[in-house]
Amino acid sequence: MRIEKECVIAAPREDVWELVSDPTTWPAFMYGITRFERQGDVERGCGARFSMRMRVGSAEVGGLIEIVEFDEPGDLAWTSVTGIDQRGRWRLRESDDGGTKVTLRLSYDAPGGLLGAVTDRVAAPTVSRNLERTLQNLRRELEGGDVGVSDGGKSLPGKVVYELGSVKVLVDAGVVRPIRPDRLVKFVQVMSRFGRSPAAGVIMHATRYPDAPMIVDEVGTLSFGEVDRRTNALAHAFADAGLVEGDAMAIMCRNHRGFIESTVALSKLGVDSLYL
């Protein structure tokens, strides 16, 4: 999936470049970035590496990125080294009115064939909004004043409209079958709270198919309803241990119910899973 946004900023290109060419300043104006740290000895230009995370819905995506193009004062490009496959570019050009035309482009691909393609489509509206707000923040940083930057919050009607659009994508792709209006409302409520996450998937399937088998391992079979209840209990235990939304927890275990239930429980807390 490739998304591109642009705007014109009433500032010299050199001033804009001073901000975008130093990735350590990105968290100040790039919307959605939750973690950003320099990795390695190269501080600036080609070869500089950074660990970056961006929130999409209730999930954090990203990984290690490397600057692969640094042509001042016009182009800076990065690509992923680890984590989600992504490529990004800042492109600065002088505008006719003496300002700077800024283009921000992000390409990303989720693994998983058809499911990955559906994930890309579902995430696209959020990523698009993140890029728009990033450019708004950059413009405000350079021009000053209020340029209508959103604080990222959505009213309940806004969330419903947005999540209904996401549901339509899933229905069109055949991942979600048409459902009754009352169940659709429940679907939207869950997605508004949990986003596109393992937690949302389990909760919705537990609502519609509580007795259907979800996990089969050497110990036996667990239904969606059972997994929902067990992961609620596990999430409470994790919370009692001090985990809060935005934390990260490492998981190292065999491919059995404990692996799946740990992932779902952490997702319900908004905690990132680091698979070892």
Side-chain angles (χ1 to χ4, degrees):
M1 182 70 65
R2 170 173 162 172
I3 300 176
E4 182 176 298
K5 298 293 179 180
E6 61 182 34
C7 74
V8 175
I9 297 178
R13 185 164 62 153
E14 289 74 14
D15 292 351
V16 182
W17 176 259
E18 184 177 353
L19 273 183
V20 303
S21 65
D22 182 3
T24 61
T25 68
W26 291 0
F29 59 84
M30 285 192 76
Y31 189 88
I33 287 185
T34 57
R35 303 181 188 180
F36 200 89
E37 299 174 354
R38 177 183 285 115
Q39 305 291 322
D41 299 329
V42 181
E43 295 187 359
R44 191 180 178 91
C46 288
R49 291 188 170 190
F50 302 87
S51 176
M52 181 175 75
R53 295 290 186 275
M54 177 177 289
R55 184 162 294 281
V56 178
S58 66
E60 271 192 348
V61 299
L64 183 65
I65 64 170
E66 179 175 333
I67 306 300
V68 294
E69 183 177 343
F70 193 84
D71 184 14
E72 52 185 331
D75 292 274
L76 182 151
W78 72 88
T79 189
S80 57
V81 179
T82 63
I84 187 172
D85 183 18
Q86 62 165 306
R87 298 160 299 284
R89 173 178 293 274
W90 286 101
R91 186 173 185 266
L92 311 182
R93 297 293 184 268
E94 294 181 353
S95 62
D96 294 337
D97 58 2
T100 303
K101 180 180 179 181
V102 181
T103 302
L104 176 58
R105 180 188 306 157
L106 182 65
S107 304
Y108 61 95
D109 297 295
L114 176 59
L115 183 58
V118 173
T119 302
D120 286 345
R121 291 183 61 189
V122 170
T126 300
V127 176
S128 179
R129 286 180 176 86
N130 286 352
L131 297 190
E132 288 179 351
R133 290 165 180 160
T134 292
L135 291 179
Q136 290 175 342
N137 288 343
L138 180 64
R139 194 166 132 207
R140 183 174 63 176
E141 184 76 18
L142 289 158
E143 294 182 357
D146 185 3
V147 295
V149 180
S150 169
D151 63 359
K154 293 188 183 77
S155 63
L156 181 57
K159 285 184 176 181
V160 170
V161 170
Y162 175 60
E163 298 301 347
L164 278 174
S166 300
V167 172
K168 181 179 184 301
V169 171
L170 294 174
V171 172
D172 292 344
V175 175
V176 176
R177 297 178 181 178
I179 55 180
R180 294 182 347 217
D182 59 327
R183 291 183 175 176
L184 179 61
V185 171
K186 173 67 173 180
F187 197 116
V188 171
Q189 290 173 340
V190 171
M191 291 191 69
S192 296
R193 179 178 177 184
F194 293 100
R196 301 116 188 128
S197 65
V202 170
I203 293 171
M204 284 309 307
H205 280 80
T207 301
R208 298 191 63 193
Y209 315 109
D211 299 322
M214 175 181 169
I215 301 174
V216 179
D217 61 10
E218 71 277 10
V219 179
T221 301
L222 290 173
S223 68
F224 281 100
E226 289 173 321
V227 172
D228 187 34
R229 291 189 293 272
R230 288 164 60 93
T231 53
N232 282 343
L234 189 56
H236 283 298
F238 285 152
D240 291 341
L243 286 175
V244 297
E245 182 177 0
D247 285 346
M249 181 173 179
I251 300 176
M252 183 171 64
C253 63
R254 297 182 295 113
N255 186 18
H256 55 52
R257 60 183 62 190
F259 172 79
I260 298 172
E261 290 180 332
S262 296
T263 299
V264 174
L266 293 173
S267 178
K268 287 182 175 182
L269 286 177
V271 174
D272 298 321
S273 297
L274 174 62
Y275 298 132
L276 303 179

